[in-house]
Amino acid sequence: MSIQFSQGKLQEEEHQTILQQVQSHMQKAAQEAVRGVVSEVVEAEVTAKLGREKGQPRQANGQAREINWKCGNCGCMDASQFIRDGHYRRELQTGWGTVENLPVPMLECQQCKHDVICEYAILEKYKRLWMDLTQDALWSSGCGQSLRDICDQARNCRLADCRE
């Protein structure tokens, strides 16, 4: 980050320009941090669900190990039948701006060679707006939701997190 300062006292325009540059750098850094953390968490979730690290061969020992992800074609839920199949890119709207080109892992079923439907703990399918609890409550309040509805929504989210 390189910002030019003059030797004398900053004029109002220079002051505003410097603040805008700093805010822009902070926003980019926050977006990169979000991208890194989200990528790491979804990769760790895939590793945990499959029961093996990336690059390790799958163990087809004949004993099914069912998980809550399933093949979109044959309905198989056996983790030993799933392999990693690259990534797709998506955008994610956050309170810090848009995180572009977020890599999300894909899986393939080895029984029928179709895609596995993965529901990640921190990413909702098709939902492009990602907010934390405080931002979500403010957003809901601004949209006219009642406090009771906001509390119920937060409680349901936490219960869903506890079940996983």
Side-chain angles (χ1 to χ4, degrees), residues 5-23:
F5 289 96
S6 62
Q7 288 184 341
K9 186 175 180 179
L10 292 176
Q11 300 298 320
E12 186 63 29
E13 289 177 13
E14 291 175 314
H15 186 260
Q16 289 299 323
T17 302
I18 290 171
L19 283 177
Q20 288 173 351
Q21 288 176 348
V22 169
Q23 287 174 341

Side-chain angles (χ1 to χ4, degrees), residues 113-151:
K113 306 292 186 202
H114 281 83
D115 292 336
V116 175
I117 300 168
C118 303
E119 295 178 11
Y120 296 99
I122 65 168
L123 293 177
E124 294 183 41
K125 202 148 188 86
Y126 308 117
K127 188 172 180 183
R128 298 291 185 244
L129 190 66
W130 188 64
M131 295 185 264
D132 64 6
L133 185 59
T134 306
Q135 289 175 321
D136 198 19
L138 286 173
W139 179 269
S140 297
S141 176
C143 289
Q145 254 187 324
S146 71
L147 182 58
R148 178 176 292 143
D149 289 341
I150 294 170
C151 289

Side-chain angles (χ1 to χ4, degrees), residues 97-122:
T98 303
V99 177
E100 296 178 349
N101 294 321
L102 180 67
V104 180
M106 297 186 304
L107 298 177
E108 180 182 280
C109 176
Q110 289 300 287
Q111 287 184 352
C112 65
K113 306 292 186 202
H114 281 83
D115 292 336
V116 175
I117 300 168
C118 303
E119 295 178 11
Y120 296 99
I122 65 168

